[in-house]
Amino acid sequence: MKKYIRRAAALATALVLTLSLCLPAAFALDDPQPHCTAAIVVDGDNNEVLYDYNAYEKRYPASVTKIMTTLVVLRAIDAGELTLETQVTASKEAVTLPEGSSTAGIVEGEVLTIEQLLYCDLVPSGNEACNILAEALCGSEEAFVERMNETAEDLGMTGTHFANPHGLHDPDHYTTAYDIYLMASAAMEYEIFREIVSTPTYTLEPTNKVSEPRILHSTNALISNWYVSGVTYSKAIGIKTGYTEEAGRCLASAATDEQGRTFYCVVLGSEYAQDESGNWHFYSFSESSRLLEWAFDNFTRTTLLSETSENVIREVPVTLSADTGHVLVQPVGSIEATVPEYDPAKAELKMDLPESLEAPIHKGQVVGSVSLVYNGINYGSLDMVATDDVARSDFQYTMKVISDTWALWWVKLLVILAVVLILALVVYLIFIRPMRRGGRRRYGYTGPRRGGGYKGRRR
């Protein structure tokens, strides 16, 4: 049951996000035109898409995949299948990687905890750490990948299919910028994940196979200068890089501003290339920070409609009341959105109210709804409720009951039949019955007569 609830919630979230994809079109805001093949910026606090560029087109994610690998493990820990302290021995198969793979330097037979492996997975993007985690949880990479795809389905990642736990290229291993946001926001619900992806440098202490500490550096240049300098972003709080020749340079990132707002950005298929001035850029980093800053600068959380909004109170006629002929109604709650500058005068209120209401009416009673439409986009609806009580007139109510009752065809039929029966009875009593009595034959008394002719013997 929980699985289906999660799927329903994910679908609902997907529907809300899909609707919000057209938000920027409702406002006069320039397109930031990122240097990449796909991108998305999302208000993570409210699950509202602020900008998208090919966000639903399938792309190769490279090592951004490791967000899902980590999420599967964290969910398994929640389920009691593992703990962060669980010790795992690295197998030969797990540490045997294709040439050019990113690695945390883990060797065969090395014993590490799940927590250490998660750091090795996310900070230096160690492919072997992903393989070890997969074997530790599911016994094989294939079984783990099946779990990854099940989790993706639960999250509503309809444009995603995983073929391995680390993101090395496979034609059947793909996702979308939107889906990456879904798994990133789900993973960021875990404190340990937030801690790891915001860690610039991690020290892997000596183990049974390696006697010296290993210093692991984050591949995310928004929080670390180790691999790429000069592009750190002060608001960045993680999350994960990815690169293969087929995928290009990819980055899922998150940032929090001075107001405490958290925005997510996903950039896929960017390049290390020169700009018009001849300067070289890792566009996955520069474009991510630029898009995030663009969103922070241009979008604010705004109340679009509430009970205090202008021109929102309406009068609805009331029947069956001796005191008033109408009742005032107003919205309850509010419609909010993360939007650029908003002009309430351009908003259209679409009221769904009855032509009239019957008393009694109670204060706070829902009588209809109002939707807010701005530049052709429906941002939602609110219930319209009565602002006062309206008492019912007993006399008017009684007359209405009589009128409504008389309007029923079968009542009319019964009344007609009753009248006909009464008339028939009257006719019978006045005319027919007396006539029957007058027409009866009258008979005299036939008993013995006084002094009659009795002829018996006398004494």
Side-chain angles (χ1 to χ4, degrees):
M1 177 61 70
K2 291 182 178 179
K3 178 177 182 180
Y4 293 111
I5 292 175
R6 289 198 302 270
R7 291 182 181 178
L11 178 59
T13 301
L15 290 174
V16 172
L17 289 172
T18 301
L19 173 64
S20 63
L21 282 176
C22 37
L23 289 179
F27 303 89
L29 195 62
D30 293 335
D31 189 328
Q33 298 180 340
H35 292 80
C36 58
T37 61
I40 196 168
V41 182
V42 186
D43 175 355
D45 299 321
N46 301 286
N47 288 329
E48 293 181 13
V49 175
L50 310 182
Y51 175 79
D52 90 280
Y53 173 63
N54 299 332
Y56 286 85
E57 293 186 4
K58 293 177 181 178
R59 295 287 188 272
Y60 299 127
S63 286
V64 176
T65 298
K66 291 164 184 169
I67 297 173
M68 177 58 77
T69 300
T70 305
L71 179 58
V72 169
V73 173
L74 293 177
R75 285 190 167 192
I77 291 173
D78 279 350
E81 298 177 71
L82 298 169
T83 70
L84 290 174
E85 293 74 32
T86 299
Q87 293 188 333
V88 182
T89 301
S91 70
K92 179 179 180 180
E93 292 75 18
V95 299
T96 302
L97 301 173
E99 185 178 351
S101 292
S102 56
T103 176
I106 302 173
V107 299
E108 179 185 354
E110 189 169 6
V111 178
L112 298 170
T113 66
I114 294 295
E115 182 175 359
Q116 288 174 316
L117 288 167
L118 291 176
Y119 272 96
C120 292
D121 158 21
L122 293 171
V123 176
S125 197
N127 288 352
E128 79 276 34
C130 298
N131 293 337
I132 299 168
L133 288 167
E135 291 180 356
L137 178 59
C138 297
S140 69
E141 180 180 314
E142 293 75 19
F144 186 84
V145 170
E146 184 176 345
R147 182 92 65 105
M148 293 171 69
N149 286 314
E150 289 175 354
T151 304
E153 184 179 357
D154 285 344
L155 294 176
M157 298 170 61
T158 57
T160 295
H161 183 268
F162 295 110
N164 58 64
H166 40 64
L168 287 177
H169 181 67
D170 186 304
D172 201 31
H173 188 98
Y174 54 81
T175 186
T176 69
Y178 170 78
D179 284 0
I180 289 174
Y181 161 70
L182 290 180
M183 70 177 180
S185 61
M188 287 290 276
E189 295 177 6
Y190 290 87
E191 181 180 356
I192 183 65
F193 183 87
R194 297 194 301 272
E195 178 183 330
I196 295 173
V197 297
S198 62
T199 299
T201 302
Y202 174 72
T203 301
L204 185 60
E205 298 297 339
T207 67
N208 62 315
K209 291 289 184 177
V210 180
S211 59
E212 297 294 329
R214 280 162 286 183
I215 308 300
L216 307 178
H217 301 280
S218 175
T219 58
N220 186 355
L222 295 186
I223 64 170
S224 171
N225 278 316
W226 181 257
Y227 293 103
V228 180
S229 62
V231 293
T232 54
Y233 181 46
S234 60
K235 298 173 183 170
I237 57 174
I239 301 176
K240 187 70 190 74
T241 61
Y243 171 74
T244 63
E245 289 187 6
E246 295 82 2
R249 298 192 177 274
C250 307
L251 177 64
S253 58
T256 301
D257 71 350
E258 298 81 2
Q259 302 174 38
R261 300 180 297 169
T262 299
F263 289 176
Y264 288 80
C265 178
V266 178
V267 169
L268 302 177
S270 66
E271 301 175 319
Y272 175 58
Q274 287 180 301
D275 61 18
E276 295 177 354
S277 302
N279 299 315
W280 287 86
H281 294 278
F282 284 93
Y283 279 112
S284 58
F285 301 119
S286 59
E287 291 299 86
S288 293
S289 59
R290 184 174 71 89
L291 286 172
L292 286 165
E293 198 63 19
W294 171 83
F296 284 129
D297 288 344
N298 288 284
F299 288 81
T300 56
R301 193 69 183 167
T302 303
T303 298
L304 307 182
L305 179 65
S306 72
E307 61 185 26
T308 61
S309 299
E310 294 183 4
N311 193 34
V312 73
I313 296 178
R314 295 288 188 273
E315 285 186 358
V316 177
V318 174
T319 60
L320 305 184
S321 171
D323 300 325
T324 182
H326 70 271
V327 66
L328 296 179
V329 297
Q330 67 181 23
V332 60
S334 64
I335 295 176
E336 298 181 345
T338 305
V339 295
E341 185 177 351
Y342 171 66
D343 183 1
K346 296 181 180 179
E348 178 185 1
L349 300 180
K350 292 191 173 183
M351 296 287 178
D352 183 10
L353 296 171
E355 293 183 1
S356 64
L357 294 168
E358 288 186 0
I361 299 169
H362 305 290
K363 182 178 181 179
Q365 177 180 329
V366 176
V367 300
S369 64
V370 56
S371 299
L372 183 135
V373 178
Y374 192 81
N375 284 3
I377 298 174
N378 191 326
Y379 283 85
S381 63
L382 298 176
D383 288 336
M384 294 289 283
V385 302
T387 60
D388 294 292
D389 293 325
V390 179
R392 183 176 66 188
S393 165
D394 291 338
F395 174 75
Q396 292 188 38
Y397 176 69
T398 301
M399 295 304 297
K400 180 179 183 299
V401 171
I402 294 173
S403 175
D404 291 346
T405 302
W406 177 245
L408 300 173
W409 69 268
W410 58 270
V411 173
K412 292 179 180 178
L413 179 61
L414 289 176
V415 171
I416 292 172
L417 290 174
V419 170
V420 170
L421 289 173
I422 291 172
L423 290 174
L425 180 61
V426 169
V427 170
Y428 173 77
L429 293 175
I430 295 176
F431 299 105
I432 298 176
R433 185 177 180 184
M435 289 177 63
R436 287 183 176 181
R437 285 184 175 180
R440 285 179 181 175
R441 182 176 179 180
R442 298 179 180 272
Y443 296 94
Y445 180 71
T446 59
R449 295 181 181 180
R450 188 178 294 180
Y454 179 73
K455 297 180 179 181
R457 186 166 58 178
R458 297 175 183 263
R459 288 184 181 179

